[in-house]
Amino acid sequence: MSETTADAHGAHDHHEGGFWSTYVFSLDHKMIARQFLWLGLIMMVVGGILALIFRWQLAWPETQVWGFEWISDESEGMPEGYVTPNFYNMAVTMHATIMVFLVVMPILVGCFGNFLIPLMIGARDMAFPLLNMLSFWVAVLGAVIMTAGFFVEGGHAASGWTGYAPLSTVPEYTGVFMGQTLWALSLFVLSFSSLMGSINYITTLINMRTEGMTWFRVPLVVWSLFVTAILGLLALPILGSAGAMMIFDRVFETNFFNPAKGGEPLLWQHLFWYFGHPEVYILILPGMGIASELLPVFCRKPIFGYRAMVYAMLAIAFLSWIVWGHHMFQSGMNPALGSAFMMTTLVIAIPSAIKTFNWLGTLWGGSIRFTVPMLHALAFVILFVIGGLSGIFMASNVVDIYIHDTYFIVAHFHYVIFGGSVFALFGGIQYWFPKMFGRAMDEALGKVHFWLTFIFFNMVFFPMHILGVGGHMRRIYNPMQYEFLQGMQPINVMITLSALALGLSQIPFVFNFFATVFRWNAKWFRVLTQAVSALVVGFIGYKSVAVMFEGMMEPEPSTGARIAGTIVAIALAVWIYRYLEKNMAPLGADAPQNPWDANTLEWVAPTPAPHGNFGPTLPVVRRGPYEYSVPGEEADWAPQTETIDPKYAEAGH
Amino acid sequence: MMSWLPENISIEGEEIDFLFYVSYYLTVVVFIGVAVAMAYFIIKYRAKPGVKAKYTHGNNTLEILWTVIPTFILLVFVLMTQTSWAKLKLAIPQNPHVRVEVTGKQFNWIVRYPGDDKKFGTKDDLVLDNQLNVPVNKQVLISLKGADVIHSFFIPQTRMKQDVVPGRTIPLWFTPTKVGKYEIPCAELCGFGHSGMNGEMIVHSEADYAKWRKKAWAEKDK
Ligand code: HEM
Ligand SMILES: [Cu+2]
Ligand SMILES: [Cu+2]
């Protein structure tokens, strides 16, 4: 049905129509993908600033946050730049909520799901374009409601991103009124957005694969998005219902979760984590898919164990429904359940292990190209390994008695979500950018961004394992209030300094992104880009030397440290400036149709892909997605539309 | 990493530390293995002119090996853990030496000690804010209660942590082995005063404990 209408569209090269129908209420999956990308990137700035504010408070408790001193002393949240305890709780809550629901999900699922599924399976668009558009605008509505919460009396939600009842459901316990209700309402709305997206992805994938695109010729990133959509379809309604129940408790005085009136607080936790654990796989599966896509391309080699990868993802899809209790080992639920949940949790670690070994197998015997997307994919693998292994500690219900609710947990989920999902996200953006925007982001700037992000990511989050082992609780406002934590304060300072560096490290990415999208390649702009990137690195170098000389707790460096710091800073800045001067390509130049010599169908489509994606006839698939370096073939790649020597057809599915 | 663990001062905590070390060595070995293999592949198989990548789709023997071996290791780990878990969470002591009731209430630990009748809720109870007095080398059984929101009772040096849920009474027990003062932070976000919700556990020698009891009840009756 949609096939015929789509065909009619396919004959035109450009979407005709006005500004509104092209850029705003577009039905085209590629435009909707870009809209999701913008939504996610903008919210990432908000989430990042919140993180820096509460990191500041943790390192230098109850001092004025730099850059916020101008705030009036009548402000409830940050009078004259001092963070109040309630504001701190709000910042932690909203940082996590925004990063999970308005950054990682919109970009990994909304943007990549929309962009890649139709293009990679040879479809002209999603099955339900109107539903697709609705899904985006409902997400925007959710984002607006979420943002509105910052401006209401009493402040935004401050009961953690997990919103444990009854703290979250009885306003008097936090002093937060509208904020928490808007938080729940926004999640309720966002769950509908995800639901619409999921239905669309699943239908498209089942019904609209082009001729020859059998299930086992579907690229792994599409498989991952398919499994993600199934999880989304089943998990998001639970979040939506829990959110609705929270609203009922807060507004209509029902008492689902309020023990003072006969409710059950653990019911919230069960609902939240029954959604929550599938949710963490919603966050990571597309990242795993992206890594599985990039590794073969840049190893010039078929993915190792394609079917094992698919089965592992399907296993995860089933198992993620029976592990939620590992978040509740110490919650007061019947401890006998803890044993069952530990068992299932370790079972779900196995598919993750299988995937890791297959990624290593893909590297083995490859011909590896260290492009920016590949660097991100490699970082993904090793950081995911660290995150998975810290999961083993917590999966042990006994060890979890001690490390539950400490920074060890914070370290764990940042390794999997930032180290995993966000690195994949950056790698994916760089990799598909040419198809998405018709021009390629710069590799030299990308490398500067990658290395800075990789180094400071680890400097921020690795030491959190140590804090956690030392007993440092999560979500505390001032660690100096505890004697047993005071000795570890230098680690907190180091983490915050590194977090500031991590924030600054995103500047080369911002320059790269905007310059490429808007074709800013004037001489002065290039010099500015180089100078700013060099300054960032120089500044970080200066601070690092000062800290090395003086330790973490000394605010004013001595003259000697200053001189040494300045020398290092100048050397680093000159190095980066000259590196970029020499290696930066023209920013925003048109990208070739298939810049990475990749096989999958999105690269068969013209660049930029027109409305309808593929011209008058749809591509026909004749080989698997990862047939690189096939013996007897001249080139080390060929589009999926080429026939393959029957000898290899079976092996390559 | 282990040197960052605060000193353990409870018998029950030893079980937790032991499994912590097991997890630690297990994961460190796996991490080093993976990282070395990865570094080796990255260096050895970087693109070189004239060298083509191997054309292979995988290996079923390897798939089976790297499924079965981790499964086996994790299974052993589960079994090792469960005996400890049962000891720490399921075997509620029938004859503890000391019984105390602790109620989490924004933002204090309210500690109730039974008087000589050994019963809670009678007139001779002693109630103190944020102060838990226990004798050394005696098993303590705490009944945790919540008055408002969820808190989490945490004594890092005993390795003990348990969420406190309003509407339930949850048992927690341990045997402190060293005289001294230890903090009792709240580990679950419970509102704006969560940070700083901090009690004190005083582990007395046996003689001091008797003295403390006498003095505390004498002061109470005044
Ligand atoms: C090897 C696989 C994994 C295992 C064994 C594992 C295990 C666990 C356990 C037991 C907890 C609860 C700890 C506690 O609160 O005391 C936890 C928390 C968490 N995990 Fe994982 N995990 C794994 C993979 C992942 C992945 C892939 C993600 C996400 C992308 C993830 C995200 C999270 C998050 C966000 C939390 C904390 C939620 C919160 O309390 O705020 N985990 N994990
Ligand atoms: Cu989980
Ligand atoms: Cu608390």
Side-chain angles (χ1 to χ4, degrees):
Chain A
M1 154 219 77
S2 48
E3 195 58 11
T4 45
T5 45
D7 266 330
H9 277 284
H12 312 291
D13 258 351
H14 286 281
H15 188 303
E16 60 242 22
F19 171 82
W20 287 96
S21 63
T22 311
Y23 294 106
V24 184
F25 298 111
S26 171
L27 299 177
D28 184 290
H29 72 102
K30 299 180 292 299
M31 181 56 71
I32 296 172
R34 282 178 293 224
Q35 291 173 324
F36 269 116
L37 181 62
W38 283 105
L39 173 67
L41 290 176
I42 291 167
M43 295 312 289
M44 190 190 273
V45 177
V46 181
I49 290 173
L50 286 169
L52 293 180
I53 293 175
F54 67 69
R55 267 318 319 172
W56 183 288
Q57 161 66 22
L58 283 168
W60 305 291
E62 295 170 57
T63 59
Q64 283 171 299
V65 181
W66 187 76
F68 290 88
E69 301 90 344
W70 52 270
I71 296 178
S72 137
D73 67 353
E74 272 154 37
S75 148
E76 275 183 26
M78 281 180 83
E80 294 179 330
Y82 291 97
V83 177
T84 60
N86 237 356
F87 187 85
Y88 177 88
N89 291 347
M90 183 214 79
V92 183
T93 303
M94 294 316 298
H95 160 73
T97 305
I98 287 175
M99 288 301 191
V100 169
F101 295 101
L102 291 169
V103 178
V104 176
M105 286 177 78
I107 298 182
L108 279 184
V109 187
C111 167
F112 287 120
N114 257 304
F115 192 76
L116 297 178
I117 292 175
L119 274 168
M120 291 182 99
I121 63 169
R124 296 211 179 274
D125 206 313
M126 283 288 174
F128 311 116
L130 186 65
L131 192 68
N132 207 13
M133 181 192 88
L134 266 177
S135 152
F136 173 72
W137 284 104
V138 169
V140 171
L141 177 65
V144 168
I145 297 173
M146 198 58 99
T147 311
F150 286 107
F151 303 101
V152 297
E153 177 110 23
H156 214 321
S159 54
W161 85 283
T162 51
Y164 277 12
L167 183 66
S168 57
T169 52
V170 180
E172 287 69 28
Y173 289 143
T174 49
V176 175
F177 296 90
M178 271 309 274
Q180 184 79 46
T181 309
L182 289 173
W183 180 87
L185 182 64
S186 169
L187 293 186
F188 181 74
V189 171
L190 287 171
S191 76
F192 277 90
S193 164
S194 284
L195 208 55
M196 290 188 252
S198 297
I199 291 171
N200 223 340
Y201 294 1
I202 293 170
T203 315
T204 307
L205 209 66
I206 291 177
N207 292 317
M208 291 170 68
R209 283 168 291 126
T210 188
E211 188 184 337
M213 181 59 82
T214 57
W215 279 107
F216 284 119
R217 282 177 179 166
V218 169
L220 288 172
V221 71
V222 177
W223 263 111
S224 77
L225 289 160
F226 180 58
V227 176
T228 303
I230 295 173
L231 290 179
L233 180 75
L234 302 174
L236 268 301
I238 303 162
L239 176 71
S241 318
M245 288 160 82
M246 178 182 281
I247 296 173
F248 274 51
D249 263 18
R250 293 180 64 85
V251 180
F252 304 117
E253 294 181 31
T254 56
N255 289 298
F256 289 114
F257 307 121
N258 184 4
K261 305 262 175 67
E264 174 53 73
L266 290 193
L267 174 62
W268 168 267
Q269 292 185 33
H270 281 293
L271 290 173
F272 187 85
W273 291 119
Y274 191 62
F275 147 79
H277 193 88
E279 167 70 13
V280 307
Y281 279 95
I282 290 174
L283 301 176
I284 195 70
L285 277 166
M288 291 172 157
I290 290 173
S292 306
E293 213 54 40
L294 303 190
L295 288 171
V297 173
F298 297 108
C299 289
R300 316 307 296 162
K301 185 171 171 283
I303 187 92
F304 202 88
Y306 174 95
R307 281 181 191 239
M309 289 293 209
V310 173
Y311 296 142
M313 284 194 276
L314 293 174
I316 286 172
F318 284 107
L319 293 169
S320 55
W321 296 101
I322 51 170
V323 300
W324 82 93
H326 63 215
H327 298 273
M328 297 174 63
F329 286 143
Q330 322 311 332
S331 69
M333 74 176 178
N334 185 339
L337 278 172
S339 298
F341 280 119
M342 175 181 177
M343 182 79 188
T344 54
T345 301
L346 286 175
V347 173
I348 202 175
I350 292 163
S352 300
I354 295 174
K355 294 188 78 73
T356 304
F357 293 132
N358 280 299
W359 288 321
L360 289 182
T362 308
L363 292 175
W364 169 74
S367 170
I368 303 174
R369 266 130 241 225
F370 297 98
T371 60
V372 172
M374 181 62 166
L375 292 174
H376 284 95
L378 292 170
F380 171 94
V381 173
I382 195 70
L383 300 178
F384 178 74
V385 168
I386 299 179
L389 289 175
S390 60
I392 303 285
F393 286 75
M394 298 136 54
S396 160
N397 44 15
V398 171
V399 180
D400 190 64
I401 296 176
Y402 178 61
I403 58 179
H404 173 65
D405 266 333
T406 67
Y407 263 81
F408 200 89
I409 313 301
V410 182
H412 162 72
F413 65 71
H414 282 92
Y415 265 87
V416 276
I417 299 181
F418 194 146
S421 314
V422 175
F423 271 81
L425 177 162
F426 280 129
I429 289 179
Q430 185 101 8
Y431 179 74
W432 280 292
F433 210 84
K435 195 57 69 180
M436 229 180 252
F437 291 92
R439 37 215 106 132
M441 278 170 74
D442 186 62
E443 284 277 306
L445 271 174
K447 279 187 182 151
V448 173
H449 169 245
F450 168 78
W451 282 110
L452 287 172
T453 306
F454 184 74
I455 292 168
F456 290 108
F457 164 80
N458 282 294
M459 287 179 62
V460 171
F461 295 107
F462 198 83
M464 289 188 185
H465 293 106
I466 295 174
L467 289 181
V469 169
H472 196 308
M473 295 78 71
R474 56 192 288 207
R475 294 167 173 164
I476 52 170
Y477 163 73
N478 182 355
M480 298 301 276
Q481 289 169 317
Y482 302 88
E483 228 165 275
F484 78 107
L485 296 180
Q486 284 167 6
M488 291 194 296
Q489 190 59 9
I491 302 180
N492 264 326
V493 176
M494 193 207 107
I495 291 175
T496 299
L497 287 172
S498 306
L500 290 165
L502 185 60
L504 289 176
S505 306
Q506 305 314 305
I507 290 176
F509 177 82
V510 174
F511 271 88
N512 199 356
F513 188 89
F514 281 95
T516 313
V517 171
F518 297 113
R519 300 184 193 270
W520 294 338
N521 195 39
K523 180 85 184 131
W524 70 266
F525 186 78
R526 292 175 65 84
V527 171
L528 179 71
T529 308
Q530 289 152 17
V532 172
S533 305
L535 274 178
V536 165
V537 177
F539 176 71
I540 294 172
Y542 176 85
K543 200 68 206 169
S544 312
V545 172
V547 165
M548 258 177 244
F549 269 74
E550 311 287 347
M552 289 297 159
M553 307 308 278
E554 193 62 54
E556 286 301 320
S558 65
T559 320
R562 271 189 204 163
I563 294 170
T566 311
I567 294 171
V568 170
I570 292 174
L572 283 173
V574 169
W575 174 45
I576 295 297
Y577 189 90
R578 307 222 0 214
Y579 171 78
L580 287 176
E581 197 177 29
K582 209 163 124 223
N583 293 297
M584 256 165 58
L587 299 172
D590 284 337
Q593 186 191 348
N594 185 357
W596 315 108
D597 290 343
N599 295 351
T600 39
L601 289 184
E602 78 273 31
W603 305 106
V604 173
T607 295
H611 194 54
N613 294 346
F614 289 103
T617 51
L618 286 174
V620 176
V621 172
R622 298 190 176 84
R623 58 163 76 195
Y626 303 116
E627 299 304 311
Y628 293 96
S629 303
V630 180
E633 288 185 6
E634 182 94 16
D636 63 0
W637 68 283
Q640 277 191 274
T641 50
E642 295 280 305
T643 50
I644 190 166
D645 186 335
K647 196 162 59 173
Y648 302 119
E650 186 42 37
H653 323 291
Chain B
M1 182 108 85
M2 307 91 98
S3 63
W4 293 96
L5 273 172
E7 183 191 12
N8 170 46
I9 61 131
S10 84
I11 293 176
E12 290 76 3
E14 281 164 24
E15 305 260 347
I16 296 177
D17 279 7
F18 172 72
L19 285 164
F20 181 87
Y21 292 141
V22 171
S23 322
Y24 178 74
Y25 288 116
L26 182 68
T27 52
V28 165
V29 168
V30 173
F31 176 73
I32 291 175
V34 171
V36 167
M38 194 168 160
Y40 177 73
F41 292 164
I42 287 176
I43 294 164
K44 174 137 192 244
Y45 297 113
R46 65 191 186 281
K48 282 172 235 138
V51 181
K52 251 190 151 183
K54 279 192 178 68
Y55 179 75
T56 165
H57 290 92
N59 179 313
N60 284 339
T61 319
L62 277 176
E63 299 291 348
I64 291 169
L65 278 180
W66 63 45
T67 308
V68 172
I69 296 175
T71 308
F72 179 76
I73 295 174
L74 291 178
L75 209 67
V76 173
F77 185 54
V78 174
L79 294 178
M80 278 170 79
T81 304
Q82 292 328 307
T83 39
S84 292
W85 178 254
K87 254 192 258 174
L88 296 176
K89 289 276 184 174
L90 292 166
I92 302 172
Q94 295 309 313
N95 295 306
H97 243 272
V98 184
R99 272 175 189 275
V100 192
E101 196 182 270
V102 175
T103 305
K105 182 166 186 234
Q106 283 183 333
F107 301 99
N108 289 295
W109 300 118
I110 298 166
V111 186
R112 179 180 285 268
Y113 304 82
D116 291 332
D117 63 358
K118 303 206 162 163
K119 285 199 188 92
F120 291 110
T122 50
K123 261 212 239 126
D124 65 347
D125 287 2
L126 172 72
V127 179
L128 295 178
D129 276 358
N130 296 316
Q131 214 194 75
L132 175 63
N133 292 275
V134 291
V136 71
N137 294 328
K138 297 274 150 67
Q139 196 167 40
V140 185
L141 175 64
I142 303 179
S143 302
L144 290 168
K145 292 184 165 180
D148 38 38
V149 300
I150 295 177
H151 303 270
S152 191
F153 184 86
F154 181 30
I155 308 176
Q157 287 83 356
T158 63
R159 306 288 185 266
M160 285 300 149
K161 183 184 291 118
Q162 174 59 57
D163 284 6
V164 173
V165 184
R168 298 182 183 223
T169 304
I170 303 172
L172 170 83
W173 60 93
F174 59 89
T175 315
T177 55
K178 193 174 163 187
V179 172
K181 289 185 177 176
Y182 308 92
E183 284 165 292
I184 315 175
C186 170
E188 181 66 66
L189 179 63
C190 57
F192 62 85
H194 165 57
S195 184
M197 173 165 173
N198 194 1
E200 186 178 47
M201 174 173 79
I202 304 171
V203 181
H204 298 275
S205 69
E206 202 151 347
D208 284 350
Y209 181 70
K211 260 190 246 159
W212 166 79
R213 267 193 87 96
K214 207 179 241 159
K215 196 166 138 237
W217 265 264
E219 265 168 33
K220 171 184 180 271
D221 292 335
K222 252 192 278 169

